[in-house]
Amino acid sequence: MLAGDRLSLARLLTRVENDSPEGRAALVELFPYTGKAHLIGVTGAPGTGKSSLVNQLALHYRRQADQRVAIVAVDPSSPFTGGAVLGDRVRMRDLSGDPQVFIRSMASRGSLGGLAQATAGMVQVFDAAGFDVILIETVGAGQSEVDIARLAHTTLVVEAPGLGDDIQAIKAGILEIADILVINKADRPGVENTERALKSTLELAHPAQRIFLHHGQVMEVKSGDLRSAQGDISTMWIPPIQKTVSTEGRGIPELVEAIARHAEHLRQSGDWVARERARLEVELEMLIQEALLARFREDVPAQKVQQVIEQMVKRDLSPWEAVKSLMNGRSK
Amino acid sequence: MSENKTSPEQSRRIRVLVAKPGLDGHDRGAKVVARALRDAGMEVIYTGLRQTPEMIAEAALQEDVDVVGLSILSGAHMALAPRILDLLKANGQSHVKVFLGGIIPDEDLPRLKEMGVTGVYGPGANTEDIINDIRGALAEKA
Ligand SMILES: Nc1nc2c(ncn2[C@@H]2O[C@H](COP(=O)(O)OP(=O)(O)O)[C@@H](O)[C@H]2O)c(=O)[nH]1
Ligand SMILES: [Mg+2]
């Protein structure tokens, strides 16, 4: 796979997405080769132009810097059937024919082990396969998107004018995770309104009170503590607002510039390592939870759990006592 | 440690690339089929209009699909279908089942089957039939 065989890469991505034993074994082997790529998350409401933006960013990284680019594009699954129509490639046709670009679509509920975990695994595969830039597109809506954003070194939150008066990202609660705010569709009327709304929200959030990572710890920093927190106020990253027209490629060089500045900031401030650490911590926790749960299910017969539930229904046992008795009753 | 308890019905969903090669202009039919497959629980990768055979084969490879569904209304199916089948094979994806929808004259059917096209559907085809045929073809393989 490291040799760059595209079919093997595609198959390995499937195994990892499936959380199959072969997929897990491969991740173990690949892990030492990961940690080199720049992971860029792109999130925002449907229709804001994320796929078009990812297309432009990838084009730019290919042409200007000859970077190898991988794209993981996540679209929602139907809550009723679990099926999905994954349509992000429609906006990425400029990238076809370039062997140094690899696009993989993913349904949000397609993976058994959970979306964030599957995405983390797939990103590791691309990273180990030598892709320099990995773009992760998700629909900013839920907790799992926020979890995915945590995977990234740099997270772009995409807004567009004309999607109603509200800033969609505020509604979805994802503004907090933005390292860079993008107002796409800057050719449309209403850009000034969107920009004004974003700015005032940012000013509310920053620098009066902002949560950021400091040596792997999430810290809440009040304005007065800024200097003492990291020594210098200049080490604080204030999310810039970038305007783009993804259908034409306008504003893309400036956005790439901002992404590079953010990466530089992460390295200078030590946050790159801190984020890496926090990311691995989150991943470890996810896997531990899963492993403990799996072990619990193996050790405690389902029948025993049902009995305990019956007792709870009759109010003979409280949930806390139930947990205690099940944990103690483990055969191993 | 934790045993992988993946049962067959839990294993990955059927992945289908729905593509529209050639220059004919609309993709309503392709979209209807894409939605029907989604509603049948499949993951459909939709690539849009005016795809070249190379683009389709490349997308099928990257997405590691089980099925490629082609919508061809232009009458160019006898040129496009074999080209796409060849490219899939060259990429090591000869296991991928290819289905074809469009205005296909009856006399072309035997040759299309011979080339390796699994199913052919006209404009009035029932999506239920397509879904059943896809499931059947993949079950056969397994
Ligand atoms: N006017 C305008 N339309 C855009 C721009 N970027 C994307 N679009 C269009 O917006 C629609 C949704 O784009 P898409 O990239 O699929 O958005 P996504 O759902 O966020 O991935 C498509 O019709 C695009 O052509 C832009 O900068 N300006
Ligand atoms: Mg999209």
Side-chain angles (χ1 to χ4, degrees), chain A residues 182-199:
Chain A
V182 180
I183 304 177
N184 187 44
K185 305 197 185 184
D187 54 328
R188 289 277 189 82
V191 186
E192 299 75 18
N193 288 341
T194 307
E195 190 172 8
R196 204 175 312 119
L198 276 179
K199 270 194 179 137

Side-chain angles (χ1 to χ4, degrees), chain A residues 6-7 10-11 13-14 17-21 24 78 81-90 93 96-97 101-107 109-110 112 290-291 294-295 297-298, chain B residues 1-6 10-13 15 17 34-35 37-52 55 58-64 91-93 95:
Chain A
R6 294 158 74 71
L7 182 61
R11 294 222 167 121
L13 289 168
T14 302
E17 185 184 2
N18 274 351
D19 195 22
S20 73
R24 286 188 184 188
S78 152
T81 66
V85 174
L86 313 172
D88 294 316
R89 294 187 84 99
V90 174
R93 44 183 300 141
S96 64
V101 176
F102 198 110
I103 307 170
R104 184 62 174 236
S105 311
M106 200 176 158
R109 298 204 323 178
L112 298 174
E290 198 194 317
R295 192 193 282 177
R297 297 236 155 92
E298 259 168 49
Chain B
M1 247 220 334
S2 83
E3 210 179 297
N4 202 301
K5 288 182 190 155
T6 310
Q10 264 186 317
S11 71
R12 197 174 71 143
R13 294 174 191 285
R15 272 167 82 88
L17 183 80
R35 278 188 221 113
L37 300 183
R38 173 199 62 194
D39 293 342
M42 301 182 193
E43 287 179 5
V44 180
I45 294 107
Y46 188 70
T47 52
L49 291 169
R50 285 186 281 284
Q51 300 281 303
T52 65
M55 288 162 93
E58 182 61 27
L61 176 81
Q62 292 178 359
E63 301 288 357
D64 192 19
N91 283 345
Q93 285 197 302
H95 61 279

Side-chain angles (χ1 to χ4, degrees), chain A:
Chain A
M1 206 285 299
L2 291 170
D5 167 2
R6 294 158 74 71
L7 182 61
S8 311
L9 176 57
R11 294 222 167 121
L12 180 53
L13 289 168
T14 302
R15 295 195 182 105
V16 167
E17 185 184 2
N18 274 351
D19 195 22
S20 73
E22 303 97 306
R24 286 188 184 188
L27 286 180
V28 170
E29 262 178 59
L30 290 177
F31 191 72
Y33 303 96
T34 63
K36 297 187 199 91
H38 186 181
L39 317 186
I40 304 173
V42 179
T43 190
T48 47
K50 297 177 297 297
S51 299
S52 311
L53 188 71
V54 164
N55 177 55
Q56 290 291 345
L57 287 172
L59 276 179
H60 192 95
Y61 283 118
R62 291 296 304 132
R63 287 182 188 153
Q64 254 59 45
D66 197 25
Q67 307 262 62
R68 294 184 68 204
V69 181
I71 297 167
V72 180
V74 185
D75 270 333
S77 304
S78 152
F80 305 108
T81 66
V85 174
L86 313 172
D88 294 316
R89 294 187 84 99
V90 174
R91 309 280 165 223
M92 302 181 189
R93 44 183 300 141
D94 296 340
L95 304 172
S96 64
D98 183 344
Q100 303 305 328
V101 176
F102 198 110
I103 307 170
R104 184 62 174 236
S105 311
M106 200 176 158
S108 60
R109 298 204 323 178
S111 47
L112 298 174
L115 177 61
Q117 192 189 316
T119 313
M122 288 166 84
V123 162
Q124 281 176 14
V125 171
F126 279 127
D127 191 349
F131 286 89
D132 305 293
V133 175
I134 303 172
L135 294 154
I136 310 160
E137 174 185 342
T138 56
V139 179
Q143 181 58 40
S144 56
E145 274 74 18
V146 175
D147 288 343
I148 291 175
R150 289 215 181 94
L151 290 174
H153 296 111
T154 305
T155 297
L156 318 185
V157 172
V158 185
E159 281 292 333
L163 290 176
D165 291 337
D166 301 333
I167 301 288
Q168 301 294 316
I170 298 175
K171 270 206 295 197
I174 55 169
L175 211 54
E176 295 82 351
I177 61 172
D179 296 307
I180 297 170
L181 288 156
V182 180
I183 304 177
N184 187 44
K185 305 197 185 184
D187 54 328
R188 289 277 189 82
V191 186
E192 299 75 18
N193 288 341
T194 307
E195 190 172 8
R196 204 175 312 119
L198 276 179
K199 270 194 179 137
S200 65
T201 316
L202 275 182
E203 267 151 31
L204 280 178
H206 178 92
Q209 196 174 55
R210 184 162 158 72
I211 293 168
F212 77 119
L213 280 174
H214 180 65
H215 299 307
Q217 301 287 313
V218 174
M219 292 191 37
E220 209 170 317
V221 182
K222 308 225 164 42
S223 50
D225 305 336
L226 277 180
R227 269 158 231 283
S228 53
Q230 281 204 313
D232 189 345
I233 194 159
S234 68
T235 59
M236 284 288 286
W237 175 260
I238 300 169
I241 298 175
Q242 301 292 138
K243 283 176 260 181
T244 57
V245 182
S246 291
T247 37
E248 299 163 20
R250 262 200 283 153
I252 299 300
E254 293 81 357
L255 175 57
V256 168
E257 183 64 41
I259 293 171
R261 268 204 309 279
H262 182 251
E264 187 53 30
H265 161 81
L266 289 181
R267 290 208 175 85
Q268 294 281 327
S269 65
D271 271 5
W272 185 282
V273 181
R275 278 195 189 206
E276 198 71 25
R277 223 195 135 76
R279 193 161 74 78
L280 291 171
E281 216 173 295
V282 168
E283 201 177 333
L284 180 66
E285 197 155 311
M286 276 189 315
L287 295 179
I288 287 177
Q289 279 180 16
E290 198 194 317
L292 284 177
L293 202 60
R295 192 193 282 177
F296 177 81
R297 297 236 155 92
E298 259 168 49
D299 290 354
V300 181
Q303 197 190 340
K304 174 100 213 274
V305 177
Q306 288 307 320
Q307 279 170 14
V308 166
I309 292 173
E310 281 311 315
Q311 286 177 285
M312 284 163 65
V313 171
K314 289 192 203 125
R315 296 296 186 275
D316 287 344
L317 207 61
S318 79
W320 280 116
E321 289 168 312
V323 169
K324 230 184 208 166
S325 95
L326 286 175
M327 301 295 273
N328 292 340
R330 275 176 34 180
S331 53
K332 285 171 221 169

Side-chain angles (χ1 to χ4, degrees), chain B residues 39-120:
Chain B
D39 293 342
M42 301 182 193
E43 287 179 5
V44 180
I45 294 107
Y46 188 70
T47 52
L49 291 169
R50 285 186 281 284
Q51 300 281 303
T52 65
E54 286 75 13
M55 288 162 93
I56 291 168
E58 182 61 27
L61 176 81
Q62 292 178 359
E63 301 288 357
D64 192 19
V65 293
D66 310 293
V67 173
V68 170
L70 302 170
S71 161
I72 308 179
L73 300 169
S74 62
H77 50 272
M78 295 309 278
L80 291 169
R83 178 88 187 111
I84 291 164
L85 284 159
D86 284 348
L87 286 167
L88 287 172
K89 202 174 288 169
N91 283 345
Q93 285 197 302
S94 42
H95 61 279
V96 170
K97 305 286 178 194
V98 175
F99 291 78
L100 185 57
I103 304 157
I104 318 285
D106 281 348
E107 64 260 33
D108 290 345
L109 293 182
R111 275 191 50 214
L112 286 168
K113 290 265 155 92
E114 215 171 286
M115 287 170 195
V117 174
T118 304
V120 179

